[in-house]
Amino acid sequence: MAAALPGGAPPAQDGKRRQFGSRFLSDPARVFRHNAWDDVKWSEEQAAAAERKVQENSAQRVCPEKQVDYEVNAHKYWNDFYKIHENGFFKDRHWLFTEFPELAPSHSQNHLKDLLLENKKSQTPERTSSEDGPGLTIEEQHASSSTSLEHKAQPPVEDNVTQKLSHLEIRAEEFPGSLATYRILEVGCGVGNTVFPILHTNNDPGLFVYCCDFSSTAVELVRTNSEYDPSRCFAFVHDLCDEGQRYPVPQDSVDVIILIFVLSAILPDKMQKAINRLSRLLKPGGMILLRDYGRYDMAQLRFKKGQCLSGNFYVRGDGTRVYFFTQDELDTLFSTAGLEKVQNLVDRRLQVNRGKQLTMYRVWIQCKYRKPLLSSAS
């Protein structure tokens, strides 16, 4: 029997990383025994102090002229960020497979099959046609794609395809990764800290990963990475808020969409339309996975007066912006887009710098929202 850690949960038997919420601080005197503690409860006094701090740093707003500059030149600020930091700022997110097992195609495909079988017990889906191709059930689409996998796909030419997206209808046989049986799209990919762990961990021949970022500098760093394989991945520049730009995939074609600390970077007024567009890309049963900043996170409390753009929306010193969400706000965004809640939880974590004897209270929100298998129109 594994011995219990002092002030925490017993270690994992298999040595794998635990999901958050498994290491609890029961004795404050032991706070510096580990680098982080999960599911930290805030006292009423601590919550009230955080609210006062936000009211204080929100009292003075950025002037309208500068707010326009931060919006119009957002791409410039993010390009400058990646030119300075390149791939040395963020670490690869190996925790993804613990928190989001849906990213493992075998797990996700089995889960989708279960959903389909459950749905068939009560309804018989009948599809005749769609704007993206002939009417096929999900199983038929996968079977058709599996047969086509015997023919090797041509590596996509990123620049040519990207140029065509703005004025071409995307048809099933023309888009990158059209032969794949499982498709993942990451929006706001940065330099590939999510994409490359996925490609490295999963060698499923039916997997194809799309990744895009607002910053052309970031996308170029992804494309020139030695691990970038155009036969399994397609990186492209894309503005999440530009309704005139097309994604390089048809509607109802993506299994999983990943949003990791990206939705918070855009203007709050544009978030709903961005989520609406993404939801249309999902297959029935497909999911959006999100992890982002929560209200009263340490980063929000550290902002100074004069950095607030609007309620809970701030600009950093480098010109990039960040919003701090509540669970209800995210639930409204996804529900309005027609998605069903699978998970919406707050991760309150206490991070510790044992060398400097510092404690830092982090607040993140993690969500999973699924597209219904059958819409009411079906």
Side-chain angles (χ1 to χ4, degrees):
M1 183 174 178
L5 295 173
Q13 296 284 352
D14 56 6
K16 293 182 179 178
R17 182 189 186 279
R18 288 183 174 276
Q19 286 185 290
F20 68 79
S22 63
R23 179 179 285 166
F24 306 108
L25 178 62
S26 57
D27 181 0
R30 297 180 178 271
V31 66
F32 294 108
R33 291 294 295 258
H34 298 288
N35 292 327
W37 299 93
D38 301 311
D39 195 25
V40 177
K41 305 299 181 185
W42 284 31
S43 66
E44 292 183 6
E45 293 79 8
Q46 185 178 6
E51 185 174 357
R52 287 194 300 271
K53 182 63 177 177
V54 169
Q55 290 175 348
E56 178 184 330
N57 68 23
S58 302
Q60 180 182 341
R61 302 292 172 90
V62 175
C63 68
E65 292 79 9
K66 287 297 295 180
Q67 296 217 28
V68 171
D69 171 65
Y70 292 131
E71 173 67 11
V72 172
N73 295 310
H75 65 286
K76 174 184 178 298
Y77 291 114
W78 279 111
N79 278 335
D80 289 345
F81 173 89
Y82 286 112
K83 286 176 183 177
I84 294 171
H85 299 288
E86 294 188 341
N87 59 0
F89 189 81
F90 299 108
K91 296 180 180 179
D92 284 351
R93 295 160 174 159
H94 295 288
W95 53 264
L96 283 168
F97 306 99
T98 302
E99 306 300 347
F100 297 132
E102 295 83 1
L103 293 177
S106 58
H107 176 280
S108 299
Q109 288 172 338
N110 290 336
H111 179 61
L112 182 55
K113 289 177 182 177
D114 291 341
L115 287 171
L116 286 164
L117 290 172
E118 180 180 344
N119 186 69
K120 280 185 174 181
K121 292 178 182 178
S122 58
Q123 300 184 55
T124 303
E126 184 176 331
R127 296 168 61 116
T128 55
S129 63
S130 70
E131 63 178 278
D132 299 317
L136 296 174
T137 64
I138 300 296
E139 296 98 325
E140 288 168 339
Q141 291 173 9
H142 281 256
S144 176
S145 298
S146 298
T147 303
S148 301
L149 274 174
E150 297 174 5
H151 305 284
K152 187 175 180 181
Q154 293 285 335
V157 181
E158 286 91 343
D159 293 334
N160 290 341
V161 174
T162 303
Q163 291 172 5
K164 294 178 181 178
L165 295 178
S166 61
H167 60 275
L168 284 181
E169 288 293 333
I170 305 299
R171 292 187 293 180
E173 68 275 12
E174 293 180 340
F175 67 97
S178 58
L179 301 182
T181 56
Y182 195 78
R183 302 186 187 95
I184 295 174
L185 165 64
E186 185 190 13
V187 179
C189 64
V191 296
N193 300 102
T194 295
V195 169
F196 291 124
I198 292 174
L199 292 173
H200 177 74
T201 302
N202 197 301
N203 58 3
D204 187 331
L207 172 68
F208 197 90
V209 180
Y210 308 86
C211 58
C212 64
D213 201 278
F214 191 36
S215 166
S216 58
T217 301
V219 172
E220 185 60 25
L221 287 168
V222 171
R223 292 179 182 173
T224 55
N225 191 300
S226 60
E227 295 185 53
Y228 182 70
D229 180 355
S231 69
R232 302 184 68 215
C233 183
F234 179 69
F236 59 102
V237 178
H238 189 86
D239 182 354
L240 178 63
C241 299
D242 188 346
E243 297 180 64
Q245 286 189 28
R246 292 185 180 275
Y247 288 97
V249 291
Q251 294 183 14
D252 304 315
S253 66
V254 178
D255 294 274
V256 175
I257 295 174
I258 308 171
L259 295 169
I260 305 292
F261 298 106
V262 61
L263 192 62
S264 56
I266 69 175
L267 200 65
D269 289 344
K270 296 184 177 181
M271 291 178 183
Q272 186 63 68
K273 288 185 177 179
I275 295 298
N276 291 348
R277 291 179 63 218
L278 290 173
S279 70
R280 290 193 285 268
L281 299 179
L282 286 174
K283 293 177 181 178
M287 275 207 212
I288 290 183
L289 309 178
L290 173 141
R291 191 166 173 87
D292 221 320
Y293 297 102
R295 192 70 46 86
Y296 305 145
D297 177 63
M298 175 193 72
Q300 182 177 18
L301 304 186
R302 283 185 171 181
F303 279 107
K304 307 298 183 184
K305 289 182 179 179
Q307 291 182 277
C308 185
L309 299 162
S310 60
N312 304 296
F313 191 44
Y314 299 80
V315 61
R316 302 184 182 96
D318 59 7
T320 62
R321 299 169 297 175
V322 58
Y323 185 84
F324 297 88
F325 291 99
T326 65
Q327 288 173 279
D328 288 343
E329 288 172 340
L330 287 167
D331 185 68
T332 297
L333 288 171
F334 291 120
S335 298
T336 301
L339 304 179
E340 301 172 339
K341 180 172 70 175
V342 175
Q343 182 186 78
N344 183 329
L345 51 82
V346 176
D347 177 10
R348 296 184 186 277
R349 190 171 299 191
L350 174 58
Q351 292 184 334
V352 174
N353 185 322
R354 290 188 279 183
K356 297 182 179 180
Q357 296 285 289
L358 297 176
T359 57
M360 300 162 283
Y361 287 89
R362 305 310 309 264
V363 182
W364 299 306
I365 298 181
Q366 183 166 302
C367 294
K368 302 178 185 181
Y369 280 78
R370 180 170 53 219
K371 188 171 186 175
L373 284 171
L374 287 175
S375 65
S376 56
S378 299

